[in-house]
Amino acid sequence: MTECPCCSGVEFANCCQPYLNGSLAPETAEKLMRARYTAYTRADVPFLMDTLHATNRNEGDEESTRRWAEGSEWLGLEIVDTDGGTAADSEGSVEFIARFRDRRGEIQTHHEASTFVKEDGRWLFKEGHAPEQSTLTRTAPKVGRNDPCPCGSGKKFKKCCEKK
């Protein structure tokens, strides 16, 4: 069994392959996202260009897409969140993290929130942007390194729980 590169845990032949070879259309925005990731791993630029929304087709640079896809070792895809994008929807978004090793051998992370639209029963990638970062708000005061450890051990924080 050859596991699909999209990290679904499903065999490639039963996951993204039917989408890439055109025998099926992805039923959801997430499935299109997974198929597009898999297309990058295989440098299937025609699939990537074909699944772009018409508003982005002029911006799609096939040669640079091919160079990025072929010059990267694709390490995995993580779906962070989805909103809409079901078979019954006409719009949806998928937040994902793609990991890859670049030409210099450095591991990179591509974190994106992508928007998809369904036209004539077919999902298309419309746009992607960096997801909004949430701000951490502390509910308790920050513990300093030299403060007593909040676990109650009687030790300084730096000698106790900060090390864990």
PDB file of all heavy atoms in Angstrom, residues 139-162:
ATOM      1  N   THR A 139      -4.147  35.127  32.278  1.00  0.00           N
ATOM      2  CA  THR A 139      -5.168  35.271  33.310  1.00  0.00           C
ATOM      3  C   THR A 139      -4.523  35.343  34.689  1.00  0.00           C
ATOM      4  O   THR A 139      -5.152  35.746  35.647  1.00  0.00           O
ATOM      5  CB  THR A 139      -6.157  34.090  33.269  1.00  0.00           C
ATOM      6  OG1 THR A 139      -5.422  32.879  33.396  1.00  0.00           O
ATOM      7  CG2 THR A 139      -6.938  34.100  31.967  1.00  0.00           C
ATOM      8  N   ALA A 140      -3.275  34.934  34.774  1.00  0.00           N
ATOM      9  CA  ALA A 140      -2.532  34.979  36.042  1.00  0.00           C
ATOM     10  C   ALA A 140      -1.244  35.761  35.797  1.00  0.00           C
ATOM     11  O   ALA A 140      -0.773  35.853  34.672  1.00  0.00           O
ATOM     12  CB  ALA A 140      -2.206  33.558  36.505  1.00  0.00           C
ATOM     13  N   PRO A 141      -0.671  36.312  36.838  1.00  0.00           N
ATOM     14  CA  PRO A 141       0.585  37.046  36.656  1.00  0.00           C
ATOM     15  C   PRO A 141       1.700  36.117  36.166  1.00  0.00           C
ATOM     16  O   PRO A 141       1.706  34.918  36.474  1.00  0.00           O
ATOM     17  CB  PRO A 141       0.907  37.592  38.048  1.00  0.00           C
ATOM     18  CG  PRO A 141      -0.115  37.072  38.979  1.00  0.00           C
ATOM     19  CD  PRO A 141      -1.133  36.307  38.209  1.00  0.00           C
ATOM     20  N   LYS A 142       2.597  36.677  35.381  1.00  0.00           N
ATOM     21  CA  LYS A 142       3.735  35.919  34.876  1.00  0.00           C
ATOM     22  C   LYS A 142       4.656  35.557  36.037  1.00  0.00           C
ATOM     23  O   LYS A 142       4.933  36.366  36.910  1.00  0.00           O
ATOM     24  CB  LYS A 142       4.490  36.745  33.839  1.00  0.00           C
ATOM     25  CG  LYS A 142       5.640  35.998  33.213  1.00  0.00           C
ATOM     26  CD  LYS A 142       6.303  36.839  32.145  1.00  0.00           C
ATOM     27  CE  LYS A 142       7.484  36.077  31.582  1.00  0.00           C
ATOM     28  NZ  LYS A 142       8.193  36.847  30.580  1.00  0.00           N
ATOM     29  N   VAL A 143       5.133  34.325  36.018  1.00  0.00           N
ATOM     30  CA  VAL A 143       6.049  33.857  37.055  1.00  0.00           C
ATOM     31  C   VAL A 143       7.465  34.158  36.600  1.00  0.00           C
ATOM     32  O   VAL A 143       7.886  33.735  35.524  1.00  0.00           O
ATOM     33  CB  VAL A 143       5.879  32.336  37.304  1.00  0.00           C
ATOM     34  CG1 VAL A 143       6.861  31.857  38.363  1.00  0.00           C
ATOM     35  CG2 VAL A 143       4.455  32.010  37.693  1.00  0.00           C
ATOM     36  N   GLY A 144       8.207  34.898  37.408  1.00  0.00           N
ATOM     37  CA  GLY A 144       9.599  35.202  37.107  1.00  0.00           C
ATOM     38  C   GLY A 144      10.501  34.040  37.481  1.00  0.00           C
ATOM     39  O   GLY A 144      10.152  33.192  38.308  1.00  0.00           O
ATOM     40  N   ARG A 145      11.672  33.983  36.887  1.00  0.00           N
ATOM     41  CA  ARG A 145      12.618  32.888  37.144  1.00  0.00           C
ATOM     42  C   ARG A 145      12.975  32.755  38.615  1.00  0.00           C
ATOM     43  O   ARG A 145      13.176  31.665  39.113  1.00  0.00           O
ATOM     44  CB  ARG A 145      13.909  33.104  36.341  1.00  0.00           C
ATOM     45  CG  ARG A 145      13.758  32.935  34.879  1.00  0.00           C
ATOM     46  CD  ARG A 145      15.045  33.269  34.133  1.00  0.00           C
ATOM     47  NE  ARG A 145      16.260  32.945  34.835  1.00  0.00           N
ATOM     48  CZ  ARG A 145      16.971  31.816  34.689  1.00  0.00           C
ATOM     49  NH1 ARG A 145      16.605  30.931  33.823  1.00  0.00           N
ATOM     50  NH2 ARG A 145      18.069  31.612  35.385  1.00  0.00           N
ATOM     51  N   ASN A 146      13.088  33.881  39.322  1.00  0.00           N
ATOM     52  CA  ASN A 146      13.494  33.851  40.726  1.00  0.00           C
ATOM     53  C   ASN A 146      12.327  33.856  41.710  1.00  0.00           C
ATOM     54  O   ASN A 146      12.537  33.872  42.920  1.00  0.00           O
ATOM     55  CB  ASN A 146      14.436  35.026  41.031  1.00  0.00           C
ATOM     56  CG  ASN A 146      15.774  34.831  40.345  1.00  0.00           C
ATOM     57  OD1 ASN A 146      16.327  33.731  40.361  1.00  0.00           O
ATOM     58  ND2 ASN A 146      16.274  35.881  39.732  1.00  0.00           N
ATOM     59  N   ASP A 147      11.100  33.826  41.182  1.00  0.00           N
ATOM     60  CA  ASP A 147       9.919  33.759  42.044  1.00  0.00           C
ATOM     61  C   ASP A 147       9.753  32.335  42.583  1.00  0.00           C
ATOM     62  O   ASP A 147      10.255  31.376  41.978  1.00  0.00           O
ATOM     63  CB  ASP A 147       8.655  34.138  41.268  1.00  0.00           C
ATOM     64  CG  ASP A 147       8.623  35.609  40.880  1.00  0.00           C
ATOM     65  OD1 ASP A 147       9.350  36.399  41.513  1.00  0.00           O
ATOM     66  OD2 ASP A 147       7.881  35.954  39.951  1.00  0.00           O
ATOM     67  N   PRO A 148       9.050  32.191  43.693  1.00  0.00           N
ATOM     68  CA  PRO A 148       8.753  30.833  44.183  1.00  0.00           C
ATOM     69  C   PRO A 148       7.926  30.090  43.139  1.00  0.00           C
ATOM     70  O   PRO A 148       7.072  30.672  42.477  1.00  0.00           O
ATOM     71  CB  PRO A 148       7.927  31.073  45.443  1.00  0.00           C
ATOM     72  CG  PRO A 148       8.161  32.494  45.824  1.00  0.00           C
ATOM     73  CD  PRO A 148       8.516  33.227  44.569  1.00  0.00           C
ATOM     74  N   CYS A 149       8.200  28.821  43.000  1.00  0.00           N
ATOM     75  CA  CYS A 149       7.497  28.016  42.006  1.00  0.00           C
ATOM     76  C   CYS A 149       6.016  27.893  42.394  1.00  0.00           C
ATOM     77  O   CYS A 149       5.696  27.597  43.538  1.00  0.00           O
ATOM     78  CB  CYS A 149       8.135  26.635  41.891  1.00  0.00           C
ATOM     79  SG  CYS A 149       7.485  25.735  40.468  1.00  0.00           S
ATOM     80  N   PRO A 150       5.109  28.101  41.424  1.00  0.00           N
ATOM     81  CA  PRO A 150       3.685  28.025  41.737  1.00  0.00           C
ATOM     82  C   PRO A 150       3.208  26.608  42.082  1.00  0.00           C
ATOM     83  O   PRO A 150       2.100  26.439  42.582  1.00  0.00           O
ATOM     84  CB  PRO A 150       2.995  28.535  40.468  1.00  0.00           C
ATOM     85  CG  PRO A 150       4.006  28.503  39.404  1.00  0.00           C
ATOM     86  CD  PRO A 150       5.352  28.537  40.060  1.00  0.00           C
ATOM     87  N   CYS A 151       4.039  25.608  41.884  1.00  0.00           N
ATOM     88  CA  CYS A 151       3.621  24.240  42.219  1.00  0.00           C
ATOM     89  C   CYS A 151       3.635  23.993  43.730  1.00  0.00           C
ATOM     90  O   CYS A 151       3.126  22.982  44.199  1.00  0.00           O
ATOM     91  CB  CYS A 151       4.487  23.208  41.501  1.00  0.00           C
ATOM     92  SG  CYS A 151       6.131  22.968  42.230  1.00  0.00           S
ATOM     93  N   GLY A 152       4.257  24.924  44.489  1.00  0.00           N
ATOM     94  CA  GLY A 152       4.268  24.802  45.940  1.00  0.00           C
ATOM     95  C   GLY A 152       5.451  24.034  46.497  1.00  0.00           C
ATOM     96  O   GLY A 152       5.493  23.715  47.688  1.00  0.00           O
ATOM     97  N   SER A 153       6.458  23.761  45.698  1.00  0.00           N
ATOM     98  CA  SER A 153       7.613  22.981  46.156  1.00  0.00           C
ATOM     99  C   SER A 153       8.503  23.759  47.129  1.00  0.00           C
ATOM    100  O   SER A 153       9.309  23.165  47.831  1.00  0.00           O
ATOM    101  CB  SER A 153       8.451  22.537  44.955  1.00  0.00           C
ATOM    102  OG  SER A 153       9.065  23.658  44.340  1.00  0.00           O
ATOM    103  N   GLY A 154       8.404  25.088  47.103  1.00  0.00           N
ATOM    104  CA  GLY A 154       9.277  25.914  47.938  1.00  0.00           C
ATOM    105  C   GLY A 154      10.559  26.303  47.217  1.00  0.00           C
ATOM    106  O   GLY A 154      11.323  27.120  47.710  1.00  0.00           O
ATOM    107  N   LYS A 155      10.819  25.738  46.035  1.00  0.00           N
ATOM    108  CA  LYS A 155      12.001  26.078  45.250  1.00  0.00           C
ATOM    109  C   LYS A 155      11.699  27.287  44.374  1.00  0.00           C
ATOM    110  O   LYS A 155      10.544  27.627  44.133  1.00  0.00           O
ATOM    111  CB  LYS A 155      12.385  24.909  44.338  1.00  0.00           C
ATOM    112  CG  LYS A 155      12.785  23.654  45.064  1.00  0.00           C
ATOM    113  CD  LYS A 155      13.112  22.574  44.036  1.00  0.00           C
ATOM    114  CE  LYS A 155      13.458  21.262  44.693  1.00  0.00           C
ATOM    115  NZ  LYS A 155      13.728  20.217  43.705  1.00  0.00           N
ATOM    116  N   LYS A 156      12.789  27.899  43.880  1.00  0.00           N
ATOM    117  CA  LYS A 156      12.611  28.946  42.889  1.00  0.00           C
ATOM    118  C   LYS A 156      12.103  28.300  41.601  1.00  0.00           C
ATOM    119  O   LYS A 156      12.436  27.146  41.292  1.00  0.00           O
ATOM    120  CB  LYS A 156      13.933  29.668  42.612  1.00  0.00           C
ATOM    121  CG  LYS A 156      14.382  30.560  43.739  1.00  0.00           C
ATOM    122  CD  LYS A 156      15.631  31.322  43.339  1.00  0.00           C
ATOM    123  CE  LYS A 156      16.047  32.255  44.456  1.00  0.00           C
ATOM    124  NZ  LYS A 156      17.210  33.056  44.075  1.00  0.00           N
ATOM    125  N   PHE A 157      11.325  29.070  40.853  1.00  0.00           N
ATOM    126  CA  PHE A 157      10.742  28.579  39.596  1.00  0.00           C
ATOM    127  C   PHE A 157      11.815  28.051  38.649  1.00  0.00           C
ATOM    128  O   PHE A 157      11.662  26.993  38.044  1.00  0.00           O
ATOM    129  CB  PHE A 157       9.933  29.703  38.937  1.00  0.00           C
ATOM    130  CG  PHE A 157       9.295  29.321  37.641  1.00  0.00           C
ATOM    131  CD1 PHE A 157       8.341  28.312  37.569  1.00  0.00           C
ATOM    132  CD2 PHE A 157       9.614  29.987  36.463  1.00  0.00           C
ATOM    133  CE1 PHE A 157       7.729  27.972  36.367  1.00  0.00           C
ATOM    134  CE2 PHE A 157       9.029  29.653  35.265  1.00  0.00           C
ATOM    135  CZ  PHE A 157       8.072  28.645  35.221  1.00  0.00           C
ATOM    136  N   LYS A 158      12.972  28.769  38.555  1.00  0.00           N
ATOM    137  CA  LYS A 158      14.021  28.358  37.622  1.00  0.00           C
ATOM    138  C   LYS A 158      14.655  27.019  38.014  1.00  0.00           C
ATOM    139  O   LYS A 158      15.228  26.319  37.181  1.00  0.00           O
ATOM    140  CB  LYS A 158      15.103  29.434  37.503  1.00  0.00           C
ATOM    141  CG  LYS A 158      15.953  29.638  38.749  1.00  0.00           C
ATOM    142  CD  LYS A 158      16.953  30.754  38.527  1.00  0.00           C
ATOM    143  CE  LYS A 158      17.754  31.032  39.782  1.00  0.00           C
ATOM    144  NZ  LYS A 158      18.656  32.174  39.585  1.00  0.00           N
ATOM    145  N   LYS A 159      14.580  26.626  39.284  1.00  0.00           N
ATOM    146  CA  LYS A 159      15.154  25.361  39.743  1.00  0.00           C
ATOM    147  C   LYS A 159      14.121  24.239  39.778  1.00  0.00           C
ATOM    148  O   LYS A 159      14.425  23.114  40.130  1.00  0.00           O
ATOM    149  CB  LYS A 159      15.723  25.527  41.158  1.00  0.00           C
ATOM    150  CG  LYS A 159      16.865  26.496  41.246  1.00  0.00           C
ATOM    151  CD  LYS A 159      18.132  25.869  40.763  1.00  0.00           C
ATOM    152  CE  LYS A 159      19.313  26.776  41.024  1.00  0.00           C
ATOM    153  NZ  LYS A 159      20.542  26.190  40.589  1.00  0.00           N
ATOM    154  N   CYS A 160      12.863  24.582  39.440  1.00  0.00           N
ATOM    155  CA  CYS A 160      11.788  23.593  39.563  1.00  0.00           C
ATOM    156  C   CYS A 160      11.079  23.399  38.219  1.00  0.00           C
ATOM    157  O   CYS A 160      11.616  22.770  37.328  1.00  0.00           O
ATOM    158  CB  CYS A 160      10.816  24.029  40.662  1.00  0.00           C
ATOM    159  SG  CYS A 160       9.598  22.780  41.126  1.00  0.00           S
ATOM    160  N   CYS A 161       9.920  23.954  38.085  1.00  0.00           N
ATOM    161  CA  CYS A 161       9.061  23.686  36.926  1.00  0.00           C
ATOM    162  C   CYS A 161       9.506  24.354  35.630  1.00  0.00           C
ATOM    163  O   CYS A 161       9.093  23.930  34.550  1.00  0.00           O
ATOM    164  CB  CYS A 161       7.611  24.069  37.238  1.00  0.00           C
ATOM    165  SG  CYS A 161       6.854  22.937  38.448  1.00  0.00           S
ATOM    166  N   GLU A 162      10.320  25.395  35.676  1.00  0.00           N
ATOM    167  CA  GLU A 162      10.777  26.023  34.440  1.00  0.00           C
ATOM    168  C   GLU A 162      11.597  25.030  33.612  1.00  0.00           C
ATOM    169  O   GLU A 162      11.596  25.064  32.409  1.00  0.00           O
ATOM    170  CB  GLU A 162      11.608  27.271  34.721  1.00  0.00           C
ATOM    171  CG  GLU A 162      12.039  27.994  33.429  1.00  0.00           C
ATOM    172  CD  GLU A 162      12.909  29.197  33.677  1.00  0.00           C
ATOM    173  OE1 GLU A 162      13.799  29.136  34.544  1.00  0.00           O
ATOM    174  OE2 GLU A 162      12.690  30.212  32.992  1.00  0.00           O
TER     175      GLU A 162
END
